[in-house]
Amino acid sequence: MASCGFEGFEKRLELVFELPASGGEVARHGLRLLPAEALREVLDAAQCAVVSAAGNAAADAYVLSESSMFVYPGRVVLKTCGTTPLLRAVPVLLRAAAALRLRLRSCRYSRGEYLFPEAQPFPHAHFADEVAYLDAALPRELLRFRRSAVMPSSSSSSPGASHRWHVYSASSSASSSDADGAARLTAEVCMTELDRGMAARFYQRPGDGRTSHAIGDEMTAASGIGGVVDENDPRSLVCAYAFAPCGYSMNALDGARYATVHVTPEDGHCYASFECATDDAAAALAAIRRAVAAFRPATVSVSISHTSSAASSLCTPVAEALEPLGLACHCRAAEVFPGAGTVTYQTFTAPVTKHEHDN
């Protein structure tokens, strides 16, 4: 934890690999064959650890001491908060994948605007350093097409202007399609200045002797977050974890789809995030609305990446989903990245009267 407070805004890394064309264990299971020691070395480099794990036929989901990791046969998503040096895990992960003879196809890195940028370790304090680090760590002969951007690209005096989205993408192809050719949508929602009553539900009671999972399940029920991921769906696998004295993480799997929620509830820098990956845009929009409605934040940013060109058309539906909750859109931007497709970014704020009332 930084001396100024805990950094809730996460860094997110996604690496996609090509599976062997021939049959065999690696062709079927890919990265899911990585031994526990190899995963531990990856997470050690990022200065975090597994606290809970679950999986289904499509993927493995890990709750980490700082956020989450999802491992598919040909894809890994690693998301960490605090002052974790996430990008230092890249060389370690590439070596582990090379041991399975998996060929790297694309990389995408994204993050919001830190609450405490001065507390971040190298290379994370400055986006230019993050870009330079990734450019050096990723093999140029495999990922020839690269682009980085800060969204929105121009300064603004709007209420949401302090929120910016940083994206780096590298791919073996200039195409905006995903490496495996499948349409895929990823939504990342960052929420600050949460409703204080909601934030209070993510503190443990003193002397509570139950397990972190049991307390996490209670937080899920008390906060209504279970409705965000439809925990009652028999196909869903939900794993919640409560941190002491406060904080919460939850991963959910539904086939190849995933969702994850993280909460840092401390006064002065309370923060929550919601992320989902799916092939169903309507389901993603509904989940975004449910997440924002649950946390009742004063400020929200929403980034959506889609491997087709459809992402840019989602800005209006996102605004239509959130404006009935009392949030006004102050910024919207869309950029195309190699391998990642179209990435949109929007910021929303509640009226000042709501902010003053809740905080």
Side-chain angles (χ1 to χ4, degrees):
M1 178 180 292
S3 59
C4 43
F6 188 82
E7 180 60 67
F9 275 90
E10 298 98 346
K11 317 166 183 80
R12 181 186 184 276
L13 175 72
E14 181 171 3
L15 296 177
V16 179
F17 296 85
E18 181 180 354
L19 297 172
S22 60
E25 287 293 298
V26 175
R28 290 193 298 272
H29 303 295
L31 294 166
R32 300 183 73 183
L33 294 177
L34 288 174
E37 181 58 34
L39 291 178
R40 188 176 302 111
E41 290 176 359
V42 170
L43 297 177
D44 283 348
Q47 296 181 12
C48 55
V50 173
V51 298
S52 183
N56 63 11
D60 298 313
Y62 300 87
V63 176
L64 306 179
S65 52
E66 281 82 13
S67 297
S68 292
M69 177 171 66
F70 296 89
V71 180
Y72 293 80
R75 183 187 308 266
V76 61
V77 177
L78 183 53
K79 185 169 186 170
T80 64
C81 57
T83 55
T84 49
L86 171 62
L87 293 185
R88 297 183 196 175
V90 171
V92 185
L93 187 50
L94 293 181
R95 288 195 297 270
L100 294 174
R101 298 185 179 180
L102 299 179
R103 182 183 178 89
L104 182 64
R105 292 291 302 272
S106 68
C107 168
R108 184 162 72 92
Y109 173 71
S110 59
R111 67 167 174 86
E113 193 84 356
Y114 297 128
L115 297 171
F116 310 108
E118 69 282 358
Q120 291 296 319
F122 178 83
H124 293 290
H126 304 284
F127 187 53
D129 290 337
E130 293 174 315
V131 170
Y133 188 95
L134 282 166
D135 275 341
L138 299 171
R140 177 70 64 174
E141 68 276 12
L142 294 180
L143 307 186
R144 296 172 47 228
F145 302 92
R146 306 182 180 205
R147 183 164 187 250
S148 62
V150 179
M151 304 169 66
S153 58
S154 59
S155 60
S156 169
S157 59
S158 69
S162 61
H163 285 244
R164 296 188 299 170
W165 196 244
H166 305 69
V167 182
Y168 173 96
S169 182
S171 177
S172 60
S173 170
S175 169
S176 62
S177 64
D178 201 3
D180 56 15
R184 182 181 176 90
L185 181 152
T186 302
E188 298 175 72
V189 182
C190 302
M191 297 168 276
T192 56
E193 301 171 80
L194 311 181
D195 175 84
R196 299 181 89 174
M198 180 65 163
R201 295 174 180 174
F202 297 97
Y203 282 80
Q204 291 193 28
R205 292 187 293 272
D208 193 329
R210 293 175 298 163
T211 67
S212 295
H213 291 98
I215 301 172
D217 288 342
E218 180 181 77
M219 291 178 175
T220 301
S223 63
I225 290 176
V228 174
V229 297
D230 196 6
E231 66 173 348
N232 294 319
D233 187 330
R235 300 172 300 175
S236 296
L237 176 64
V238 178
C239 181
Y241 192 92
F243 294 89
C246 64
Y248 170 90
S249 288
M250 182 274 290
N251 290 337
L253 289 173
D254 178 1
R257 304 175 182 182
Y258 75 77
T260 185
V261 175
H262 302 282
V263 184
T264 301
E266 293 94 331
D267 284 345
H269 48 92
C270 59
Y271 169 85
S273 69
F274 169 73
E275 177 181 332
C276 66
T278 178
D279 56 0
D280 186 338
L285 289 168
I288 291 169
R289 188 187 189 284
R290 290 195 297 266
V292 175
F295 286 104
R296 301 187 291 278
T299 305
V300 182
S301 69
V302 179
S303 176
I304 294 179
S305 65
H306 201 300
T307 51
S308 74
S309 60
S312 58
S313 66
L314 292 175
C315 285
T316 297
V318 168
E320 291 174 346
L322 298 188
E323 286 171 352
L325 302 178
L327 295 162
C329 182
H330 291 283
C331 163
R332 60 187 288 175
E335 304 274 357
V336 177
F337 294 85
T342 302
V343 177
T344 65
Y345 179 68
Q346 295 168 268
T347 60
F348 299 82
T349 59
V352 174
T353 52
K354 179 183 185 300
H355 169 77
E356 291 175 341
H357 175 74
D358 288 347
N359 292 279

